Amino acid sequence: MNNLSSRFKGKRVIMICGSLLILFGLAGLLAPWISPHDPIRVNLAAKLSPPSWEYLLGTDQLGRDNLSRLLYGTRISLGFASLIFAASLGVGLLAGVVSGYSGGWLDAALMRLCDGIMSFPSMILVFGLIGILGPGLSQLVIALMLVQWVYFARMFRNMIVSLKERNFITAARISGSSPWQIMSRHLIPNILPSIVVIGTLEMGWAIMDISAMSFLGLGVQAPTPEWGAMLNEGKSFIRNHPELMLYPGLMIIMVVASFNLLGEALSERYGIKRGS
Amino acid sequence: MGVYIGKRVLAIIPIILFSSLLMFVMIRVGPVDPAEAYLAAAHIQPDDEVLAAKRHEFGLDQPLLTQYVQSLGRLLRLDFGHSYLSNMPVWGEVAQKLPATLQLASASIVLALVVSIPLGVLAAIYKNRLLDHVIRVFAYIGACVPVFWIGYLLMFFISVKLEWLPVEGRGSVQHLILPSITLALWLIAIYARLLRTTVLEELKEAYVRYARARGIKERVILYKYVLRIAIAPLITGLGINLGKLLTGAIIVEQVFSWPGFGRYFIEAIINRDIPVIQCYVMLSVCVIAGSNLIADLLQLFLDPRIARKGRASQG
């Protein structure tokens, strides 16, 4: 590879994106304590005010502090993306382990189900599910989880099938380790890098999808400060106050780009083919 | 080759069957009763008698298998029923909205090809030089930017500030420019990256060395041999990316008030208009499966090595 690309995708990217994401994570976690104002308290007297010491990034059409709303938006985006990640990891782990260990018809059926869901373009499936379940945040989380678990299931299943017969597993089995010990001491450490890579990329997708659906009014509903929903609320003020749309968009780009770059750099580092 | 084409055509059937089954199961398992959704959309106060009558009309009181077979039959006849909201046949309403979406999508695809092919080739020729870095940074950012955000940004600068183009709606060619640029940007980003990689890979192949040894001009090698093969993955890529293009179109239509199928679909979701939702999902599945097939066949034509290998390479 050429040197810029390897430098570009190397340690430095992991460091920069990782620390940026940790910063965002802290901002989200600490939002209730570090936000200067209540993100949903309406104050019409101060509506659409320019940046000042009181309101560092100004206020929106209802006089709510933009900075506080962005900070709470971090909490919502990262929080729900993590929830989707955890849920799809859990479901995928269960399905993959069952599939990989049992083999036979159950394995075949589960893997055909995964094929089916993967052959479906994921966002169309999310739209269809939201259409049937109805708009709303919990429905969106369920829909995104239902699309994403298959990548984990496929990964866990393939790894278990290929690792099951490897010598070190057989050695562990012969020396009397229980299935649980084999799982926790030998299998899980082997697949941890893949979980991190797929998870990082999925976090980026989930944040993008949550914001897109909320922008369309199908996910997080106003007045909750989610970036996509904020953009949706700010769009009527495009003429005179484009900053209402600018800020949330920049937040989405920074977080999604960090997750994508980090995921790619990690997958290069560990030599893992990406899921999807 | 004939066997390969036949196999590819037959492979579509399970995909469509699977998605229709999935839709059917989801509607039955989902929290919304179609009869109730209908009455709510039609502003009829639901009582037990009306509900039971509606359920009977929709065939909801019949065994599940009969219902599924019937819904498949209707699907084959392209009968998607009546919209709960307007009580008009869904297919008729969709046929009205579809041209706007097709216009937007095809304009974006053409734009994406026209812009990304030179960008990708330039990036490959000037590998690791300034131009390459600029194109790659652009491509990188383009893939992470939310479609709706870039749409409003373009609208703000070009329509509101500079007043060069209309803000929203559909009608003249000017109306088409911003929505199709918005929708194409993301595709350009993906394509430019993909093309750069394939051109660089192809340039390492033996036939390029041979052509160079024979003294064929670098430009001829690039445009006549390499590009022809490097474009093939773009076409398969289109089949794969069409799903994202369709959902992108939903968002772009919303941003620019473009009166297409995507906006109609969002309205349907908000109003729980189940026949319209079902129609959108099934149609997009068919379109995507169909275009994947066409993409594979086109690629076969562009790069005959694939048929000899006996498989379609993945983009």
Side-chain angles (χ1 to χ4, degrees):
Chain A
M1 280 298 275
N2 57 67
N3 71 52
L4 183 109
S5 160
S6 51
R7 200 177 53 190
F8 197 53
K9 288 189 173 157
K11 247 185 180 161
R12 202 177 290 181
V13 174
I14 298 181
M15 292 284 291
I16 294 172
C17 295
S19 21
L20 248 178
L21 288 173
I22 290 173
L23 215 66
F24 275 114
L26 283 177
L29 270 179
L30 302 177
W33 294 279
I34 56 176
S35 298
H37 295 271
D38 181 343
I40 53 175
R41 198 181 51 103
V42 174
N43 177 10
L44 286 174
K47 75 171 179 183
L48 295 169
S49 42
S52 60
W53 284 114
E54 170 85 25
Y55 302 105
L56 281 175
L57 292 175
T59 59
D60 70 359
Q61 70 281 5
L62 296 176
R64 299 172 295 193
D65 178 38
N66 281 332
L67 180 63
S68 307
R69 287 177 70 73
L70 290 172
L71 285 171
Y72 269 89
T74 317
R75 187 184 178 85
I76 287 174
S77 289
L78 287 177
F80 282 100
S82 316
L83 180 67
I84 293 166
F85 164 68
S88 55
L89 182 69
V91 175
L93 177 70
L94 190 68
V97 168
V98 165
S99 201
Y101 258 124
S102 66
W105 67 268
L106 189 59
D107 180 28
L110 274 169
M111 285 305 113
R112 285 301 81 73
L113 180 65
C114 288
D115 285 345
I117 292 176
M118 281 175 168
S119 70
F120 228 87
S122 63
M123 274 310 275
I124 300 274
L125 189 57
V126 171
F127 272 107
L129 286 168
I130 292 292
I132 292 159
L133 301 172
L137 182 58
S138 46
Q139 290 92 318
L140 182 58
V141 170
I142 293 172
L144 287 172
M145 194 276 286
L146 283 177
V147 203
Q148 296 198 339
W149 70 274
V150 292
Y151 296 96
F152 285 117
R154 174 70 65 86
M155 177 192 87
F156 283 121
R157 186 250 174 208
N158 288 346
M159 296 222 177
I160 284 176
V161 166
S162 76
L163 286 171
K164 220 163 44 170
E165 303 308 324
R166 293 265 280 279
N167 287 336
F168 68 97
I169 303 289
T170 319
R173 192 176 299 150
I174 291 169
S175 62
S177 303
S178 68
W180 170 245
Q181 280 173 322
I182 294 177
M183 279 276 293
S184 62
R185 289 205 197 139
H186 302 285
L187 291 180
I188 304 254
N190 256 295
I191 52 184
L192 206 58
S194 301
I195 297 178
V196 172
V197 169
I198 298 183
T200 312
L201 293 166
E202 283 198 349
M203 288 284 284
W205 300 340
I207 288 171
M208 191 71 124
D209 291 348
I210 292 174
S211 69
M213 296 304 269
S214 305
F215 165 75
L216 291 170
L218 304 177
V220 178
Q221 309 287 335
T224 312
E226 194 277 340
W227 298 327
M230 285 168 72
L231 243 150
N232 193 27
E233 282 186 74
K235 69 183 179 192
S236 331
F237 301 89
I238 180 172
R239 250 163 225 289
N240 301 317
H241 294 278
E243 75 276 6
L244 290 182
M245 284 168 14
L246 205 64
Y247 298 148
L250 287 175
M251 295 295 276
I252 298 172
I253 295 171
M254 282 194 284
V255 174
V256 172
S258 300
F259 273 118
N260 285 355
L261 277 168
L262 183 66
E264 277 181 27
L266 285 173
S267 78
E268 197 126 304
R269 192 183 170 88
Y270 293 113
I272 296 158
K273 256 193 106 214
R274 277 174 285 147
S276 144
Chain B
M1 194 158 159
V3 176
Y4 173 71
I5 295 174
K7 266 189 190 161
R8 279 295 288 116
V9 174
L10 285 181
I12 285 188
I13 297 172
I15 295 177
I16 291 176
L17 274 180
F18 177 78
S19 21
S20 68
L21 182 65
L22 198 66
M23 276 306 280
F24 180 80
V25 171
M26 286 311 299
I27 292 173
R28 289 303 166 279
V29 175
V32 186
D33 176 5
E36 273 181 39
Y38 174 83
L39 296 176
H43 299 293
I44 299 171
Q45 196 60 40
D47 59 51
D48 286 349
E49 203 175 319
V50 185
L51 262 176
K54 248 328 175 235
R55 283 215 179 93
H56 181 70
E57 190 190 317
F58 287 161
L60 294 175
D61 47 359
Q62 288 180 10
L64 281 177
L65 191 65
T66 324
Q67 283 186 44
Y68 178 60
V69 172
Q70 280 176 350
S71 74
L72 262 186
R74 282 195 298 273
L75 189 70
L76 285 177
R77 291 192 305 269
L78 282 181
D79 170 14
F80 291 102
H82 288 62
S83 158
Y84 293 170
L85 208 58
S86 64
N87 225 353
M88 303 280 280
V90 172
W91 188 236
E93 297 211 322
V94 168
Q96 261 180 17
K97 314 267 180 191
L98 212 48
T101 299
L102 290 179
Q103 186 191 25
L104 177 63
S106 41
S108 310
I109 292 171
V110 171
L111 188 70
L113 287 174
V114 168
V115 176
S116 61
I117 293 176
L119 281 186
V121 172
L122 282 174
I125 296 175
Y126 293 98
K127 184 183 161 191
N128 285 335
R129 306 249 284 275
L130 181 68
L131 188 62
D132 180 31
H133 296 323
V134 171
I135 292 173
R136 285 168 66 198
V137 167
F138 161 78
Y140 206 93
I141 296 172
C144 303
V145 173
V147 177
F148 43 91
W149 187 72
I150 202 79
Y152 279 116
L153 217 61
L154 285 173
M155 188 196 272
F156 175 72
F157 282 114
I158 297 184
S159 306
V160 176
K161 282 281 148 193
L162 298 171
E163 296 184 358
W164 283 351
L165 292 168
V167 174
E168 53 181 20
R170 177 175 182 243
S172 62
V173 183
Q174 280 94 331
H175 283 94
L176 183 61
I177 298 173
L178 284 187
S180 45
I181 291 178
T182 308
L183 189 53
L185 270 180
W186 154 86
L187 205 56
I188 294 173
I190 292 183
Y191 273 9
R193 282 179 82 178
L194 186 61
L195 199 67
R196 177 184 180 274
T197 319
T198 21
V199 167
L200 286 177
E201 262 167 31
E202 284 298 319
L203 283 175
K204 288 184 202 142
E205 292 277 320
Y207 73 89
V208 174
R209 273 207 305 275
Y210 176 63
R212 276 182 188 149
R214 277 184 56 195
I216 297 176
K217 275 191 200 121
E218 199 67 15
R219 216 178 20 181
V220 178
I221 298 176
L222 189 65
Y223 294 115
K224 210 166 164 196
Y225 305 109
V226 170
L227 202 54
R228 181 179 156 131
I229 286 170
I231 286 179
L234 297 195
I235 292 170
T236 342
L238 186 62
I240 293 164
N241 291 323
L242 200 71
K244 258 191 111 173
L245 191 74
L246 284 177
T247 47
I250 296 177
I251 295 168
V252 171
E253 286 178 11
Q254 204 71 17
V255 170
F256 290 97
S257 305
W258 186 262
F261 196 6
R263 281 197 77 171
Y264 183 53
F265 178 50
I266 296 299
E267 257 170 59
I269 292 182
I270 289 167
N271 293 311
R272 300 297 180 84
D273 201 343
I274 292 173
V276 179
I277 296 169
Q278 208 172 3
C279 176
Y280 185 92
V281 174
M282 286 317 296
L283 265 187
S284 0
V285 169
C286 293
V287 167
I288 288 162
S291 55
N292 270 329
L293 174 69
I294 295 170
D296 272 6
L297 298 183
L298 262 175
Q299 206 193 17
L300 201 63
F301 168 75
L302 279 169
D303 188 354
R305 291 180 301 180
I306 293 162
R308 253 173 278 142
K309 278 185 243 159
R311 60 173 179 83
S313 69
Q314 299 293 305

